[in-house]
Amino acid sequence: DQQVKQNSPSLSVQEGRISILNCDYTNSMFDYFLWYKKYPAEGPTFLISISSIKDKNEDGRFTVFLNKSAKHLSLHIVPSQPGDSAVYFCAATHSGTYKYIFGTGTRLKVLA
Amino acid sequence: DAMVIQNPRYQVTQFGKPVTLSCSQTLNHNVMYWYQQKSSQAPKLLFHYYDKDFNNEADTPDNFQSRRPNTSFCFLDIRSPGLGDAAMYLCATSRGLGGVGQPQHFGDGTRLSIL
């Protein structure tokens, strides 16, 4: 049972444009959501997170939006840069637990 | 820089030959995790330690064991590796239980190959 789903395995975007990566979840207990970025031959690196009490969190070029009623979150990267090319993982957890459930990742390619 | 270090980065072992992967951290985090990740799949949690308290996932094979001798180090032992155990193994840490402000910090992984 895949509780966190990233339905797009890959995405290509032109440099300077917006990249939108999507993530859906099924467990209504989740109250904390994270995005990680992974370059080849490196471990995932924490990028941005959002608590379920918010619907938006912004950090520079990265914004995460949360739609609790739809159980959907998205990561927006504006403007996209070639260095953003990586695999992006969505993860979810809930307060008081140790478990972070990951999606399968979306490979973003930003074309120069 | 505080970090999570995994050794070795690449490990080749023979079918059935025990292998140990290691992880160390300088973050002084309470929780250490081991994940298995196969190509195009989500990282799969094998087990975690909260301090010395070991927590095994229900579907983690008995072939996988772990040790945490102190706060800084954690080991993954695979007693009799099979071909299906070839994967990337990721170690991660976090300061405490899940919730706001508690992201995980990952090492760069050990890629395990089985001959």
Side-chain angles (χ1 to χ4, degrees):
Chain A
D1 175 28
Q2 191 73 21
Q3 297 185 62
V4 177
K5 296 180 185 178
Q6 293 177 257
N7 291 318
S8 298
S10 63
L11 174 69
S12 289
V13 170
Q14 207 67 36
E15 182 180 6
R17 298 288 190 104
I18 184 171
S19 295
I20 301 177
L21 296 93
N22 293 303
C23 179
D24 296 295
Y25 62 96
T26 57
N27 189 341
S28 56
M29 294 283 291
F30 289 147
D31 59 6
Y32 184 52
F33 304 88
L34 310 92
W35 285 94
Y36 289 84
K37 177 177 173 179
K38 185 183 182 305
Y39 291 119
E42 294 183 13
T45 303
F46 169 69
L47 189 59
I48 192 169
S49 63
I50 189 166
S51 162
S52 61
I53 62 173
K54 296 185 175 182
D55 54 18
K56 176 182 172 181
N57 189 26
E58 199 169 347
D59 183 1
R61 296 186 297 114
F62 302 91
T63 303
V64 56
F65 294 92
L66 176 62
N67 182 336
K68 288 188 291 293
S69 60
K71 294 193 178 69
H72 177 84
L73 63 155
S74 61
L75 174 67
H76 292 211
I77 307 173
V78 183
S80 301
Q81 298 174 355
D84 297 328
S85 297
V87 178
Y88 289 80
F89 289 96
C90 169
T93 187
H94 61 84
S95 300
T97 185
Y98 55 85
K99 291 182 76 164
Y100 297 74
I101 308 298
F102 284 80
T104 52
T106 296
R107 183 178 300 278
L108 173 66
K109 190 170 184 180
V110 180
L111 307 168
Chain B
D1 276 348
M3 51 197 341
V4 181
I5 299 171
Q6 291 189 241
N7 283 303
R9 293 293 310 276
Y10 302 91
Q11 176 72 58
V12 181
T13 192
Q14 291 180 329
F15 182 95
K17 186 173 181 181
V19 65
T20 294
L21 310 181
S22 82
C23 178
S24 64
Q25 57 133 339
T26 60
L27 295 158
N28 205 32
H29 282 173
N30 301 101
V31 194
M32 294 187 79
Y33 307 78
W34 281 104
Y35 288 87
Q36 179 193 65
Q37 187 182 21
K38 297 186 177 180
S39 182
S40 302
Q41 294 184 18
K44 177 181 179 299
L45 181 65
L46 296 173
F47 23 61
H48 83 284
Y49 278 91
Y50 188 97
D51 293 329
K52 293 195 173 215
D53 185 21
F54 176 72
N55 296 270
N56 200 28
E57 290 301 294
D59 58 353
T60 298
D62 293 340
N63 200 22
F64 290 82
Q65 305 284 318
S66 185
R67 296 169 282 136
R68 188 179 185 185
N70 54 52
T71 301
S72 302
F73 284 88
C74 195
F75 300 98
L76 170 61
D77 301 307
I78 309 176
R79 291 191 298 190
S80 181
L83 296 177
D85 298 328
M88 174 71 81
Y89 290 87
L90 293 165
C91 174
T93 71
S94 71
R95 190 152 28 101
L97 296 177
V100 175
Q102 305 282 3
Q104 290 179 307
H105 298 258
F106 284 84
D108 287 337
T110 294
R111 181 163 295 284
L112 178 66
S113 300
I114 314 293
L115 299 179

